[in-house]
């Protein structure tokens, strides 16, 4: 009875949220993907949200991209690239034969146009400005050659995740800031062409049959909006959509054994961390914020890290769908991930002894109090805060949990008005970005603006290593430098990396037999560094759909019955009160 | 003095008789008594470690059965114990928020009923403004700006739900002040304070009492709504917080009805009890409602 009741609710919910009936098998083969996050813009120069950049990648190829199996740099718009001996000039070759979706050839002029637009127009730098910050000039001496000169050597030249747009369409755009890029079908170079977009309802793309790598194996790709991931998961279970990601562990578990549903537990690019305010300073070295000064003592920070049981956090908060945290580069990037020779063991007794030795004795059961901030409504923060509070209490530190809104948390971490705070980042294939977040230069200026420091970490040794790795073109040596940086970070504890979350995805195995994951070993389908998951999806031979219609019919019936019953009740109630009314 | 007390005692006794004559009111009172007992005794009966997420041993999402007669939540804590321990916060917030809202409402209502002219008009325009502002939206805005905590929730509910009380109290104040004996008091030289304290307040008080009882019911629902939306203080256990957690940690996908239903029924029962008591009290003070 309970299951039926819940399924009724689910049916009603799914019905009201999507209002759609599964496609008939005879029509075009369509991959329907659930989307929860809104789209900020279809204009690739303005799109910042993860959802919009992902759709931008489907529409436009970048200069180079990352391979599906091992994430090495491979051909996209450019087929070859060559740095000069002084590493200041890069020459990219755009081979002939690649075409925009309107049939015009893709040439080096399009590439030069895109980058020059970003160099000359500040609005065009909104989304991807950091990639060209170090550029001196971009020229196209002939149809097939792009020459980029940089001010200083830059190792990320083959990681330029900037969509290349067609010059013949975009040169006439005068008001870039308000250009929505929704003249359907939108001319692009990627494996899919944007054909329709209704905010909050759906995004429709069709396969680019002339894509240079070969046409996708199905006809249309639809993104369907859902208000929350619970509704999306229910829709997947009923076969209304084909692919869902970013599921909560409980949702992922609930799909186990569901007929026709395949699950993908992937190693994610994200990690959860607990920031430990190390005595925040701005660029000119003045202390800012109101972090508890005891945390400036590295012995205290180490003791805090020692008192948190990371294993039980992974087991109980993430229900096992995570890996224990160590370095700031997640293990999915095997090359750059650092693993300590001996992990800092969970040891409350040692933490207590260390705090005693550091000169913070117990007084009435507590040594000192710290504020622990997190985002309310975020499942991880709400749950992990309870564990960390008890763990800290065990070593004599009183944690006052404050779960606040997104904005309030952002304000507190930016103004350094926190002691401990939950945070999290997604890392890229190239570790430069995630490492750069913790350099002294990322701290805000004396006026409080600029910089995007994550932890207010400022360490001479770390910064020296960062500068070295940025201009180190020998991969083995760079890997060594990156690992030494993570070791220093782990030792100084400006934040405790708690766990690397698994990316939990599920798809209809009865409609699509295979999705390429990136990397091949335990990778993701959605939110890749590329579009292999969508591009390489293989439809199952006998595509069929069932169950959805009957669910909707039952849903309508239930709604009708409810309306009827409440109508009768209200009518009776009115008659009763009519007599009482004066 | 003793005459006054004698008269009051008689009135109280006859009121109580009126109240007990209504079975629904008595039923509501019994439920309230049980809820208060649970709220006070619940935390005492629960062992220190039973709700500590780091020390529970049961598996997560266990359906009701021996050992956990209402199942377990996402961390393995007993839902039955969670619901018992959530009673106190739900009731506390409901009562204090109602008290705050009725206090503001009574003050504004009496003031605007007693002092005529522009101060009354000004007060009533303010009341009208709060009356038309969507209550939930304002409460959400308030609890988003203020620091998280039970106090914020109380403030958010109290500051948004007083206009109805103000209107009712104002009407009663106007009716009372129109009576001849108030006019006489004025004529004998009674000042504002004397008239309000000795004539208006005693006449308005029964109405305020009923209003409070009914306001508690709606405050409990408001608290649950705000907590469910994630605007409450997640570190304090209340029924709304439980529902919020059930939704956040995937009880719907898990089909874990035992995590969703008990707090919901708890809210329903408590609200119903307050409403029944309030209605019965209303009948006692307003003879026209008697059948």
């Amino acid at each position: 009875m309970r299951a039926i009741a819940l399924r009724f609710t689910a049916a009603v919910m799914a019905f009201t949220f999507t209002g759609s009936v599964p496609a008939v098998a005879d029509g075009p083969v369509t991959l329907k993907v659930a989307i929860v996050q809104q789209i900020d813009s279809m204009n690739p120069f303005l799109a910042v949200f993860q959802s919009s950049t992902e759709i931008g990648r489907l529409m436009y190829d970048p200069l180079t991209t990352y391979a599906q199996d091992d994430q090495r740099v491979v051909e996209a718009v450019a087929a070859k690239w060559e740095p000069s001996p002084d590493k200041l000039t890069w020459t990219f070759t755009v081979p002939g034969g690649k075409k925009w979706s309107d049939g015009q050839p893709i040439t080096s002029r399009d590439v030069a146009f895109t980058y020059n637009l970003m160099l000359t127009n500040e609005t065009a730098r909104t989304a991807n400005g950091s990639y060209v910050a170090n550029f001196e000039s971009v020229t196209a001496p002939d149809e097939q050659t792009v020459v980029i000169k940089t001010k200083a050597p830059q190792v990320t030249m083959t990681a330029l995740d900037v969509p290349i747009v067609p010059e013949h369409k975009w040169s006439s755009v005068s008001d870039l800031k308000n250009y929505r890029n929704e003249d359907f079908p939108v001319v692009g170079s990627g494996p899919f062409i944007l054909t329709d977009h209704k905010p909050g309802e759906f995004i429709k793309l069709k396969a680019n049959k002339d894509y240079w790598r070969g046409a996708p194996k199905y006809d249309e790709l639809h993104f369907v909006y859902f208000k929350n991931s619970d509704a999306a998961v229910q829709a997947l279970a009923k076969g209304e959509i084909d692919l869902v990601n970013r599921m909560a562990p409980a949702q992922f578990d609930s799909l186990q054994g569901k007929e026709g549903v395949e699950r993908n537990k992937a190693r994610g690019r994200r990690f959860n961390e607990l920031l430990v305010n190390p005595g925040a300073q701005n660029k000119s070295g003045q202390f800012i914020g109101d972090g508890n000064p005891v945390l400036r003592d590295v012995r205290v920070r180490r003791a805090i890290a020692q008192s948190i049981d990371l294993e039980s956090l992974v087991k109980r908060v993430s229900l096992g769908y995570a890996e224990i945290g160590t370095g700031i580069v997640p293990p999915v990037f095997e090359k750059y991930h650092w693993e300590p020779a001996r992990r800092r063991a969970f040891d409350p007794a040692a933490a207590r002894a260390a705090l005693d030795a550091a000169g913070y004795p117990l007084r009435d059961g507590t040594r000192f109090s710290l504020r622990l901030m997190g985002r309310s409504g975020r499942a991880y923060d709400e749950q992990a805060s309870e564990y960390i509070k008890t763990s800290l209490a065990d070593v004599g530190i009183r944690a006052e949990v404050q779960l606040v809104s997104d904005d309030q948390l952002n304000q507190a971490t930016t103004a350094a008005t926190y002691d401990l705070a939950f945070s999290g980042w997604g890392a890229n294939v190239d570790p430069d970005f995630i490492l750069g977040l913790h350099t002294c230069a990322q701290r805000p200026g004396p006026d409080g603006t600029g910089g995007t420091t994550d932890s207010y970490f400022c360490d001479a040794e770390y910064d020296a290593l960062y500068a070295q790795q940025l201009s180190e073109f020998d991969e083995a040596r760079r890997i060594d430098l990156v690992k030494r940086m993570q070791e220093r970070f782990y030792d100084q504890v400006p934040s405790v990396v708690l766990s690397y979350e698994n990316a939990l995805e599920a798809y209809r195995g009865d409609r699509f037999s295979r999705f390429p994951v990136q990397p091949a070993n335990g990778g993701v389908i959605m939110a890749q560094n590329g579009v292999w998951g969508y591009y390489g999806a293989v439809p199952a031979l006998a595509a069929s759909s069932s169950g959805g219609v009957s669910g909707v019919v039952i849903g309508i019936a239930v709604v009708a019955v409810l309306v009827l019953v409440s109508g009768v009740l209200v009518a009776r109630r009115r008659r009763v009160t009519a007599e009482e009314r004066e | 003095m003793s005459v006054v007390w004698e008269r009051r005692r008689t009135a109280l006794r006859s009121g109580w008789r009126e109240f007990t004559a209504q079975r629904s009111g008595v039923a509501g009172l019994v439920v309230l008594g049980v809820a208060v007992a649970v709220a006070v005794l619940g935390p005492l009966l629960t062992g220190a470690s039973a709700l500590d997420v780091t020390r529970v041993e049961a598996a997560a999402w266990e359906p009701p059965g021996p050992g956990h007669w209402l199942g377990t939540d996402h961390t393995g804590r007993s839902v039955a114990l969670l619901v018992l321990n959530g009673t106190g916060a739900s009731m506390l917030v409901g009562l204090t928020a109602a008290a705050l809202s009725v206090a503001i409402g009574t003050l504004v209502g009496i003031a605007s009923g007693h002092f005529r002219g522009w101060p009354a008009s000004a007060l009533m325009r303010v009341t009208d403004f709060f009356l038309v502002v969507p209550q939930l939206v304002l409460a959400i805005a308030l609890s988003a700006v203020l620091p998280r905590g039970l106090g914020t929730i109380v403030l958010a509910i109290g500051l948004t739900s007083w206009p109805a009380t103000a209107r009712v109290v104002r009407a009663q104040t106007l009716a009372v002040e129109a009576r001849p004996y108030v006019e006489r008091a004025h004529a004998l030289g009674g000042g504002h304070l004397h008239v309000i304290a000795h004539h208006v307040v005693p006449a308005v008080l029964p109405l305020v009492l009923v209003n409070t009882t009914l306001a508690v019911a709606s405050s409990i629902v408001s608290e649950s709504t705000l907590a469910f939306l994630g605007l409450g203080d997640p570190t304090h256990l209340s029924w709304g917080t439980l529902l919020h957690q059930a939704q956040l940690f995937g009880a719907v996908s898990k089909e874990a009805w035992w995590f969703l239903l008990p707090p919901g029924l708890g809210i329903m029962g408590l609200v119903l009890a307050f409403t029944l008591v309030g209605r019965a009290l209303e009948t006692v003070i307003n003879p026209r409602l008697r059948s």
Side-chain angles (χ1 to χ4, degrees):
Chain A
M1 185 60 209
R2 58 163 173 99
I4 295 171
L6 278 169
R7 245 172 248 141
F8 277 175
T9 335
V12 174
M13 272 164 69
F15 176 71
T16 35
F17 283 146
T18 67
S20 68
V21 176
V24 189
D26 300 335
V29 181
T30 305
L31 172 63
K32 288 187 188 160
V33 184
I35 181 168
V36 176
Q37 192 185 18
Q38 296 292 314
I39 294 287
D40 49 354
S41 176
M42 286 295 181
N43 182 339
F45 293 107
L46 307 178
V48 179
F49 290 0
Q50 204 276 330
S51 52
S52 355
T53 49
E54 185 138 333
I55 287 162
R57 287 198 199 112
L58 290 164
M59 294 158 62
Y60 302 102
D61 271 351
L63 203 52
T64 55
T65 190
Y66 295 104
Q68 175 244 321
D69 46 359
D70 61 357
Q71 317 206 43
R72 69 184 185 286
V73 178
V74 293
E75 170 178 10
V77 166
K80 276 195 301 192
W81 44 91
E82 194 62 54
S84 64
D86 64 356
K87 315 286 183 195
L88 286 171
T89 307
W90 286 72
T91 310
F92 292 86
T93 309
V94 180
K98 289 179 188 171
K99 286 193 171 70
W100 295 104
S101 58
D102 61 354
Q104 301 262 2
I106 302 175
T107 69
S108 60
R109 311 220 187 280
D110 294 306
V111 181
F113 168 77
T114 305
Y115 285 124
N116 279 317
L117 186 67
M118 290 173 69
L119 287 173
T120 53
N121 186 332
E122 189 171 351
T123 311
R125 290 197 294 271
T126 306
N128 302 308
S130 65
Y131 290 112
V132 299
N134 192 25
F135 281 21
E136 175 128 357
S137 71
V138 183
T139 49
D142 62 60
E143 292 266 298
Q144 305 212 343
T145 313
V146 182
V147 178
I148 302 180
K149 286 195 162 73
T150 59
K151 294 174 198 152
Q154 185 174 337
V155 285
T156 55
M157 286 303 290
T158 53
L160 303 170
D161 191 12
V162 178
I164 302 298
V165 299
E167 181 179 10
H168 63 279
K169 286 283 167 197
W170 285 76
S171 56
S172 59
V173 175
S174 54
D175 184 7
L176 196 63
K177 197 172 190 130
N178 293 315
Y179 185 62
R180 285 150 43 93
N181 193 26
E182 295 194 358
D183 304 326
F184 307 117
V186 179
V187 175
S189 58
F192 291 90
I193 304 164
L194 181 67
T195 55
D196 203 356
H197 173 217
K198 283 233 159 55
E201 286 181 44
F202 58 78
I203 298 157
K204 289 185 177 169
L205 301 107
K206 71 169 194 235
N208 181 358
K209 298 287 178 199
D210 300 323
Y211 186 52
W212 64 271
R213 230 185 268 274
K217 296 187 182 61
Y218 56 102
D219 308 308
E220 290 189 24
L221 171 60
H222 293 180
F223 289 86
V224 185
Y225 272 99
F226 285 86
K227 294 269 190 258
N228 58 47
S229 58
D230 257 331
V233 172
Q234 296 294 343
L236 180 87
K238 297 195 316 88
E240 285 177 8
I241 52 165
D242 306 316
L243 181 59
V244 176
N245 76 339
R246 295 188 179 212
M247 283 190 283
Q251 292 169 338
F252 192 71
D253 275 348
S254 75
L255 287 176
Q256 187 171 22
K258 277 255 160 59
E259 206 192 319
V261 175
E262 297 289 333
R263 304 185 303 162
N264 180 38
K265 177 186 139 186
R267 306 172 87 183
R269 306 193 284 136
R270 295 196 65 82
F271 61 84
N272 290 311
E273 62 176 343
L274 181 73
L275 299 176
V276 184
N277 191 337
Q281 296 174 326
N282 62 18
K283 266 186 207 148
S284 47
Q286 291 155 319
F287 283 105
I288 56 171
D290 61 358
N292 193 328
V294 300
L295 295 177
R296 291 178 199 166
D297 188 338
V298 70
R299 291 171 299 179
V300 174
R301 299 203 297 268
R302 286 189 194 130
I304 287 174
Q306 207 163 27
S307 65
I308 300 172
D309 186 359
L310 298 182
E311 205 179 318
S312 89
L313 277 178
V314 164
K315 213 168 76 195
R316 307 215 68 149
V317 177
S318 310
L319 300 182
Y321 295 117
E323 293 168 67
I324 292 173
T326 48
I328 44 177
V329 177
V332 67
F333 305 113
E334 281 161 6
K335 261 194 291 190
Y336 292 107
H337 172 67
W338 171 80
E339 200 56 44
R342 241 190 59 221
R343 274 191 195 163
R344 192 181 277 127
F346 164 59
D347 191 345
R352 276 191 291 266
L355 288 168
D356 284 336
Y360 302 99
L362 274 177
R363 274 196 209 97
D364 304 330
T366 41
R367 302 171 199 272
F368 47 82
S369 311
L370 298 173
R371 292 161 296 173
L372 168 57
M373 302 188 81
R375 213 183 93 191
S376 82
R378 186 168 178 256
Y380 188 85
D381 295 8
E382 293 211 357
Q383 229 180 319
S385 60
E386 288 189 57
Y387 285 85
I388 290 176
K389 185 183 172 181
T390 348
S391 302
L392 291 178
D394 278 350
V395 299
I397 300 172
R398 209 175 74 82
E400 183 198 329
V401 179
Q402 296 177 357
L403 297 177
V404 295
S405 72
D406 231 348
D407 275 350
Q408 287 167 317
L409 184 62
N410 264 342
Q411 267 170 25
T413 48
T414 315
T417 51
Y418 66 94
D419 298 324
L420 307 171
F422 286 103
S423 179
W425 287 89
N428 301 330
V429 180
D430 192 283
D432 178 63
F433 169 74
I434 200 76
L435 296 172
L437 282 175
H438 305 280
T439 53
C440 297
Q442 288 295 339
R443 295 173 305 164
D447 57 348
T449 59
T452 51
T453 180
D454 176 35
S455 58
Y456 277 101
F457 189 47
C458 180
D459 183 70
E461 189 181 330
Y462 183 91
D463 271 21
L465 288 167
Y466 178 75
Q468 275 181 47
Q469 66 85 29
L470 195 58
S471 50
E472 179 57 72
F473 284 82
D474 179 85
E475 197 179 35
R477 264 184 297 188
R478 183 165 180 236
I479 288 173
D480 179 56
L481 289 168
V482 167
K483 288 191 171 173
R484 274 165 61 195
M485 290 175 76
Q486 295 180 71
E487 187 175 357
R488 179 73 183 161
F489 189 88
Y490 189 75
D491 179 62
Q492 293 294 307
V493 213
S495 95
V496 183
V497 178
L498 300 170
S499 62
Y500 311 107
E501 295 289 291
N502 287 149
L504 302 178
E505 307 174 314
Y507 59 92
R508 294 298 305 191
D510 49 359
R511 289 179 39 80
F512 284 84
S513 57
R514 199 178 81 83
F515 286 91
V517 296
Q518 181 194 45
N521 169 26
V524 287
I525 298 171
M526 292 168 73
Q528 294 180 344
N529 288 301
V531 292
W532 307 101
Y534 302 106
Y535 168 63
V538 182
L541 284 176
S544 65
S545 62
S546 65
V549 179
S550 63
V552 170
V553 170
I554 294 170
I556 296 171
V558 171
V559 171
V561 168
L562 282 178
V563 167
L564 241 147
V565 169
S566 53
V568 170
L569 282 178
V570 168
R572 288 190 55 182
R573 177 96 199 110
R574 287 207 144 258
R575 222 181 306 140
V576 174
T577 52
E579 286 157 13
E580 287 174 4
R581 277 190 220 139
E582 296 169 358
Chain B
M1 205 59 193
S2 64
V3 184
V4 177
W5 278 112
E6 192 59 39
R7 202 175 65 209
R8 283 188 185 161
R9 213 171 305 142
T10 327
L12 215 59
R13 223 177 289 132
S14 76
W16 175 246
R17 256 202 309 282
E18 282 294 338
F19 185 87
T20 47
Q22 300 172 72
R23 240 176 293 158
S24 59
V26 176
L29 204 60
V30 170
V31 174
L32 279 190
V34 172
V36 170
V38 165
V40 174
L41 296 177
L44 299 177
L45 294 177
T46 313
S49 64
L51 294 182
D52 185 339
V53 285
T54 55
R55 286 180 180 79
V56 287
E57 264 136 36
W61 303 115
E62 265 194 48
H68 318 281
W69 43 278
L70 281 180
T72 60
D73 73 348
H74 57 283
T75 58
R77 293 176 296 181
S78 153
V79 173
L81 286 179
L82 286 172
V83 172
L84 284 189
N85 281 274
T87 317
S90 288
M91 264 180 110
L92 187 73
V93 173
L95 285 169
T96 41
L100 180 66
S101 120
V102 169
I104 300 176
T106 309
L107 213 67
V108 173
I110 291 181
S112 68
H114 180 78
F115 303 102
R116 314 287 164 80
W118 70 263
S121 308
L123 276 176
M124 278 337 277
R125 294 298 83 76
V126 174
T127 313
D128 288 344
F129 171 76
F130 276 96
L131 206 57
V132 291
V133 170
Q135 211 195 76
L136 188 62
V137 177
L138 187 58
I140 288 173
L142 275 174
S143 48
V145 176
L146 300 170
R148 294 294 155 110
L150 286 186
T152 301
I153 290 276
V154 168
L155 212 64
I157 299 172
L159 287 183
T160 53
S161 59
W162 58 268
T165 315
R167 278 278 177 187
V168 172
V169 170
R170 178 172 185 264
Q172 181 75 356
T173 308
L174 287 174
V176 170
E177 296 224 341
R179 287 180 197 163
Y181 72 90
V182 176
E183 212 170 304
R184 191 198 60 183
H186 273 303
L188 287 176
H192 293 302
L193 200 63
H194 172 85
V195 172
I196 291 179
H198 285 87
H199 299 298
V200 177
V201 170
V204 169
L205 217 50
L207 194 75
V208 170
L209 185 67
V210 172
N211 230 297
T212 313
T213 330
L214 295 174
V216 174
S218 65
S219 296
I220 290 173
V221 173
S222 300
E223 189 272 336
S224 307
T225 311
L226 290 176
F228 174 71
L229 293 176
L231 297 159
D233 180 359
T235 55
H236 271 98
L237 214 54
S238 81
W239 289 337
T241 318
L242 286 180
L243 286 174
H244 167 68
Q245 292 186 350
Q247 188 256 357
L248 186 65
F249 300 122
V252 176
S253 298
K254 266 277 183 198
E255 303 189 343
W257 57 271
W258 59 88
F259 195 10
L260 287 159
L261 215 54
L265 288 178
I267 294 168
M268 205 185 82
L270 198 56
V271 169
L272 186 68
F274 271 109
T275 312
L276 289 177
V277 172
R279 291 270 171 245
L281 280 176
E282 207 174 15
T283 317
V284 171
I285 64 157
N286 187 354
R288 274 185 299 178
L289 288 177
R290 282 176 216 160
S291 46

